[in-house]
C-alpha cells in the first residue's frame, strides 16, 4: 500500500525530532536557535570543511570510532573512566559533546571561546592517579592532543567513507587546520594542521597505546551493551560495525576487534551508507519543517 506524501513527511519530521532530542537534549531547540541565529562573526566561514564534516550524519560513525580509538591511551582512559560519567549518563555526555561541537563550529566567535573556556575550567578540576600509579591531569596538553588527534582522524575517516560530500585532498588538510583552532583554544600546544602532520602525530602516539581492562570494558559497552531501545539495535549495529571498520587496522588488532575483509566493502559499507543516509534524511526533514514558508 502506497504511503501518502503527507504521512511520509510527518514520519520524517517525527524521526528527526526524536533523533535530535536524543543527541541535543531537552535544551536542543533553544541551543540550536542561539548557535545559528545569534549575530556576530564566526570562527569558520559558511563553505569551510569543518562545517561540512561536523554537520554530516557520518559523524555518528566517526564519533563512535573516536571513542574506541581514544580508549587505547591508558592514562586518558583512566581519566574518562573515573570522571566522565559516560556509563551513568551516556546521553547527557553525548548531548554536552554535541552542543560543544555545534557551538565551536557554527556559533559566534564569542560563544565558541566561552564554550572552550568552560571546558578548560572542567579539565582544570580533574586529576587523579591510574591503577598503575601514574598521576594525570585532564588539562595536560599531551592528553588533550591525544583526544584531539583521535577525534580529528576518526571524524575525517568516517566522513570520507560515508559523508554526503567527501572532501578533496586539500580540503582534508584544511579541515585539520580548522579543527586545530578549536584544539588550541582548549589548551593543545601546536596541534597538527595538515593530514600529513595528523597521521604523523597519530603514529608518534602509538608507543603509548595499549588495550587495558578499562579499554576492553569501554569497547564492550559501546559495541555490545549500548543504552538504546531494543528496536534501534539493528540500526545501531550498522553504525557500530562501521565505526570499527574505519579504525586503523593496528587499532582494531590492539583492541582485539574482528575485521571482515571483503565483507567490509560489500556488506558493512552499504549498511553504513544506508544508516547514515536515513539519519541525514530524517534530520533534513526536521530542518525543512522548522524553515519558515
Amino acid at each position: 500500500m502506497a504511503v501518502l506524501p503527507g504521512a511520509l513527511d510527518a514520519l520524517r519530521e517525527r524521526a528527526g525530532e526524536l533523533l535530535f532530542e536524543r543527541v541535543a537534549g531537552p535544551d536542543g531547540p533553544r541551543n540550536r536557535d542561539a548557535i545559528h541565529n545569534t549575530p556576530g562573526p564566526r570562527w569558520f566561514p559558511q563553505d569551510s570543511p569543518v562545517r561540512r564534516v561536523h554537520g554530516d550524519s557520518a559523524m555518528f560513525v566517526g564519533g563512535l570510532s573516536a571513542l574506541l580509538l581514544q580508549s587505547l591511551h591508558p592514562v586518558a582512559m583512566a581519566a574518562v573512566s573515573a570522571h566522565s560519567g559516560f556509563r551513568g549518563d551516556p546521553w547527557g555526555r553525548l548531548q554536552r559533546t554535541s552542543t560543544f561541537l555545534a557551538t565551536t563550529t557554527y556559533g559566534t566567535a564569542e560563544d565558541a571561546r566561552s564554550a572552550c573556556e568552560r571546558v578548560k575550567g572542567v579539565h582544570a578540576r580533574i586529576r587523579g592517579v591510574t591503577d598503575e600509579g601514574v598521576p594525570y591531569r585532564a588539562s595536560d596538553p599531551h592528553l588533550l592532543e591525544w583526544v584531539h588527534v583521535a577525534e580529528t582522524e576518526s571524524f575525517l575517516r568516517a566522513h570520507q567513507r560515508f559523508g554526503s560530500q567527501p572532501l578533496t585532498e586539500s580540503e582534508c588538510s584544511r579541515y585539520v587546520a580548522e579543527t586545530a583552532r578549536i584544539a588550541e583554544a582548549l589548551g593543545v600546544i601546536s596541534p597538527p594542521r595538515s593530514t600529513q602532520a595528523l597521521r604523523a602525530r597519530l603514529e608518534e602516539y602509538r608507543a603509548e597505546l595499549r588495550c587495558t581492562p578499562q579499554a576492553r570494558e569501554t569497547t564492550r559497552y559501546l559495541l555490545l551493551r549500548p543504552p538504546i531501545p531494543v528496536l534501534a539495535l539493528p540500526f545501531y549495529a550498522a553504525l557500530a560495525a562501521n565505526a570499527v571498520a574505519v579504525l586503523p587496522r593496528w587499532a582494531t588488532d590492539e583492541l582485539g576487534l574482528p575485521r571482515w575483509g571483503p565483507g567490509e566493502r560489500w556488506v558493512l559499507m552499504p549498511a553504513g551508507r544506508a544508516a547514515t543516509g536515513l539519519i541525514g534524511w530524517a534530520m533534513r526533514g526536521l530542518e525543512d519543517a522548522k524553515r519558515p514558508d
Side-chain angles (χ1 to χ4, degrees):
M1 181 173 62
V3 179
L4 295 175
L8 183 60
D9 289 343
L11 175 63
R12 183 186 186 188
E13 181 181 349
R14 182 55 180 156
E17 288 174 345
L18 290 172
L19 187 59
F20 182 74
E21 182 180 353
R22 279 290 192 179
V23 173
D27 293 331
R30 180 177 59 82
N31 290 335
R32 176 180 56 195
D33 181 67
I35 289 168
H36 293 282
N37 297 327
T38 300
R42 265 66 178 167
W43 277 355
F44 310 110
Q46 289 284 347
D47 63 345
S48 60
V50 71
R51 283 176 168 243
R52 282 166 55 187
V53 172
H54 292 177
D56 196 281
S57 55
M59 284 288 285
F60 283 79
V61 174
L64 275 172
S65 191
L67 291 174
L68 294 171
L69 184 57
Q70 288 167 358
S71 75
L72 282 173
H73 197 292
V75 180
M77 190 66 251
V80 168
S81 295
H83 300 280
S84 78
F86 77 95
R87 289 187 183 83
D89 184 24
W91 291 109
R93 184 169 188 258
L94 172 63
Q95 290 155 10
R96 291 188 293 273
T97 300
S98 66
T99 300
F100 173 80
L101 279 173
T103 301
T104 51
T105 304
Y106 306 103
T108 65
E110 181 180 354
D111 287 344
R113 281 191 292 269
S114 295
C116 290
E117 287 302 315
R118 284 194 297 273
V119 172
K120 286 175 67 176
V122 172
H123 287 167
R125 299 190 295 270
I126 295 175
R127 58 186 64 215
V129 180
T130 70
D131 291 342
E132 297 175 343
V134 178
Y136 62 79
R137 296 176 294 108
S139 58
D140 179 358
H142 186 71
L143 291 182
L144 290 173
E145 186 175 10
W146 163 247
V147 173
H148 168 69
V149 166
E151 284 183 348
T152 305
E153 169 77 1
S154 300
F155 294 169
L156 189 54
R157 277 177 174 260
H159 185 83
Q160 292 303 92
R161 184 170 295 189
F162 299 108
S164 58
Q165 292 181 300
L167 306 180
T168 65
E169 185 174 345
S170 62
E171 287 174 332
C172 286
S173 279
R174 186 178 163 196
Y175 169 73
V176 176
E178 288 170 341
T179 62
R181 181 171 191 173
I182 302 172
E184 285 184 323
L186 289 172
V188 178
I189 301 171
S190 299
R193 297 181 181 276
S194 68
T195 51
Q196 183 177 5
L198 176 67
R199 304 284 156 74
R201 194 70 187 99
L202 183 63
E203 188 67 23
E204 290 172 8
Y205 272 100
R206 282 189 61 184
E208 304 173 32
L209 308 181
R210 57 188 175 83
C211 185
T212 62
Q214 289 169 323
R216 283 191 290 272
E217 183 180 354
T218 297
T219 299
R220 286 196 297 269
Y221 177 79
L222 292 173
L223 300 181
L224 303 178
R225 300 193 302 272
I228 61 174
V230 173
L231 291 178
L233 284 175
F235 184 77
Y236 180 87
L239 298 175
N242 279 284
V244 173
V246 300
L247 285 169
R249 187 166 292 275
W250 56 261
T252 52
D253 289 345
E254 187 66 41
L255 288 168
L257 297 174
R259 298 297 291 254
W260 285 42
E264 290 184 1
R265 178 179 180 183
W266 302 111
V267 179
L268 289 188
M269 286 182 62
R273 290 197 178 101
T276 54
L278 281 172
I279 292 172
W281 174 80
M283 296 306 292
R284 285 191 299 273
L286 179 61
E287 292 169 5
D288 291 344
K290 304 304 178 186
R291 191 175 294 123
D293 295 330

